[in-house]
Amino acid sequence: MSNLDLVLKNGTVFFKSKQEITDIGVKNGKITDIGNLNAANEIIDCSNLFIFPGLIDTQCHFREPGGEHKETLETGTKAAALGGIVGIFEMPNTNPLTVTPEAMTFKLERANQTSYVDYAFYFGGTAQNSSNLNEWENLKGVCGIKIFMGSSNGSLLSSTDEEIDKILANGNRVVAVHAEDEAMMNKNKISILGKSNDVAMHHLWRSEESCFNATKRVVTIAKKYNRKVHILHLTTAQEIEFLRHHKDVASLEVLPNHLTLSAPECYEKLGTLAQQNPPIREKHHQDSLWKAINDGTIDILGSDHAPHTLEEKGGIYPDTPSGTPGVQTMLPIMLNHVSEGKLSYEKIVDLLAYGPLKIHKIKNKCEIKVGNDGDFTIVDPNMTHIISNSEQASKSGWTPYDNKKVKGFPVMTIIRGDKIMQDGELLSHHIGEEIQFNLN
């Protein structure tokens, strides 16, 4: 018997500063050896495959508790594992909201029992709990604080500068921000949307000005306290240009949907299945997001996996819920963008491993080096695949990319040396553990 549990052999390994065809050895869940390795309890031939560090999806809504008919931590993390994702950050707009230590404990206990991948949770920030955030932001399993400046799904809302000020004044960890201006949108809903039931109006009344104004407001308050804010799901050219000059306090996230779909075509083709907040916008905004990815302005890519049932989505707009599933399709969609020349494989790793590592100070993950967890996302860059609704593990059972052909696909998800997924099959169940952070 070898002293190594697992060897990944002859794969193209993505290290932080280079790619190299070599072998990786894992023992007791940790990377212990890199080089020419020939003995282990299990050897996996990774010839012609890419070995990425285990990739993290830092924005997921798994709807538990309160929305289990749409998704659970179990079904959501199953979708993550099938999509090549080794860890997720889940959002606090559940029911009850994740705004108390008791609510956080519930999620941790459920994840410990049911999660297929590693996990951490955003703690919801409100004016009401702001005085406790100094303490509560350091609870077990917390990856940061989350605020909603504009109404989306759930009742977690901090729309005024006074409320936001109270939250940013308390604590030190990164605050993730849904930046849409609630007051502006409420006016627009009357003056622009009116009585229309046309989902193609979605990006007009949830306007680019609303996003830009909210982003400017939160950055101003962040500078007052020198507090790091992470602006989620950016959609506008104005925000990108503004935030380029404020990277001292602000980090930036974009979503595959905003990089892949554009208005008005997405609404014509998908109807309310393309409805999400902030909205999918016109092509010139998408072009600015791509430019920001490739010039290094964007720090993180997240799926914003936000499932609803087809029955819910089939209602009459604007009473239909916003959000699409995405954790299982995020990596395939982005690998396909590489095949089309939009970005590099290195940039995918940067956005889904090194970005989360830097912004959230994740411990012992997101980089292939001796001593780190044996987490790997293994990709076949030449594999073609047709995405389908039927293969989605999400309870919602659909994807906006149904019947889309992609090139490049995750073929293995390995967490601490344990094969979770191989060739589309789940092999290990409920092995997820709480993600740790460097808080000092």
Side-chain angles (χ1 to χ4, degrees), residues 364-376:
N364 300 329
K365 289 184 178 293
C366 299
E367 184 180 353
I368 296 175
K369 66 179 183 180
V370 170
N372 268 6
D373 288 354
D375 297 347
F376 309 99

Side-chain angles (χ1 to χ4, degrees), residues 180-210:
E180 291 183 284
D181 191 297
E182 179 75 359
M184 194 175 281
M185 288 194 300
N186 286 339
K187 290 178 185 174
N188 289 348
K189 193 167 186 180
I190 296 167
S191 64
I192 296 175
L193 181 65
K195 296 189 184 321
S196 174
N197 301 118
D198 184 3
V199 70
M201 299 287 287
H202 193 62
H203 68 293
L204 300 177
W205 73 269
R206 295 190 83 106
S207 65
E208 55 196 79
E209 292 81 13
S210 158

